[in-house]
Amino acid sequence: MNLPATDRRILISGASRGLGRALAQAFAENGDRVAVHYGSREEEARETLASLKGEGHALVGGDLSDAAGAADVAGRAATALGGLDVLVNNAAVNLPHPLADTSYEDWAALWQRHVSVNLLATANLSHLAARRMIDQGTGGRIVNIGSRGAFRGEPDHPAYGATKAAVHALGQSLAVSLAPHGIAVASVAPGFFETERVAHRLSGDEGEAIRAQSPFGRAGTADEIAAAVLWLASPVAEWASGTVLDLNGASHLRT
């Protein structure tokens, strides 16, 4: 297969800010062309687009929580870029719903929301991107953004932890089925890392407790996660297909 090291066509879901923006910037810095997807944060997505190095990038809005919306996003991204070489499944929701404090109606609705966005959108975009990669005949990469919470549990966000565990399992299944087509699939499992969305949690006692989770005494950064994703999406990372890469500063160790 002939997956290039640069000038690739990249679709990043949920790229309006935070990790999605860092991912888009990392791929653009590498010389790739990026489709910046957003759900509702168009203004922030345009800021991400404007920050990207190079030319040929695209902005693609759309709702990934249903199959038709995912197909529309993937189709417009492929049209704008002239195909797809790499998909990064980053879009996710993470809303609190501790069982003891959540009504059944809210519980059911929040589980449905997490499954629709975190799991089904990932599955649907993966199918849509992989079919294009197969038809192109050049191989490709799919990288899923999972979570440390899939392994250690998320007591206040159980649907988030469960759907991220499912994303890891999905990635491993696809790694086996897509390898004959030259498509490598991997996931990363970040611990707590700083973005504007969670910056408020890093002050005071909560911030001290978060930093103390890692023996390095700090939280991770979006740039560190993006660097790992960039490598997993590269031609030299084919043998990492099927992996779930822990990125948590030794805050949660597993065998």
Side-chain angles (χ1 to χ4, degrees):
M1 298 298 173
N2 299 308
L3 180 71
T6 189
D7 195 31
R8 296 167 299 180
R9 298 157 297 185
I10 319 291
L11 170 58
I12 303 173
S13 67
S16 61
R17 61 176 183 165
L19 177 57
R21 178 175 291 176
L23 289 164
Q25 291 170 341
F27 279 103
E29 186 70 26
N30 186 63
D32 299 311
R33 291 177 288 129
V34 181
V36 175
H37 163 261
Y38 69 93
S40 59
R41 300 180 180 276
E42 180 176 357
E43 182 176 348
E44 289 172 307
R46 290 191 179 280
E47 292 174 2
T48 296
L49 185 69
S51 75
L52 300 186
K53 180 179 179 179
E55 299 179 348
H57 309 298
L59 192 69
V60 183
D63 182 6
L64 300 179
S65 65
D66 67 89
D72 178 62
V73 166
R76 286 188 288 121
T79 297
L81 299 178
L84 291 176
D85 299 303
V86 176
L87 166 66
V88 182
N89 283 305
N90 176 63
V93 295
N94 186 10
L95 303 171
H97 50 285
L99 189 149
D101 302 319
T102 304
S103 70
Y104 178 68
E105 291 76 13
D106 289 343
W107 173 269
L110 285 165
W111 269 88
Q112 184 62 55
R113 178 65 176 162
H114 282 78
V115 169
S116 295
V117 176
N118 297 4
L119 178 56
L120 295 182
T122 296
N124 290 337
L125 283 180
S126 295
H127 181 283
L128 293 157
R131 280 304 324 172
R132 283 177 169 81
M133 295 172 193
I134 292 169
D135 292 342
Q136 290 163 187
T138 55
R141 297 287 183 267
I142 298 173
V143 184
N144 300 320
I145 307 301
S147 175
R148 174 185 66 177
F151 304 113
R152 71 168 198 165
E154 291 285 353
D156 292 336
H157 305 78
Y160 180 79
T163 51
K164 288 301 186 178
V167 164
H168 295 168
L170 170 65
Q172 292 182 319
S173 295
L174 294 182
V176 177
S177 67
L178 295 176
H181 303 283
I183 301 170
V185 185
S187 301
V188 297
F192 192 99
F193 61 94
E194 186 172 2
T195 66
E196 62 269 34
R197 183 177 64 83
V198 297
H200 66 283
R201 297 183 58 190
L202 288 171
S203 62
D205 292 341
E206 184 181 16
E208 291 183 13
I210 289 171
R211 287 186 287 272
Q213 292 174 3
S214 167
F216 290 101
R218 65 175 180 87
T221 70
D223 287 340
E224 288 173 314
I225 311 304
V229 172
L230 186 66
W231 179 78
L232 287 171
S234 72
V236 299
E238 182 174 87
W239 215 237
S241 190
T243 195
V244 179
L245 179 60
D246 292 322
L247 298 170
N248 63 49
S251 66
H252 182 76
L253 304 178
R254 62 190 180 94
T255 57

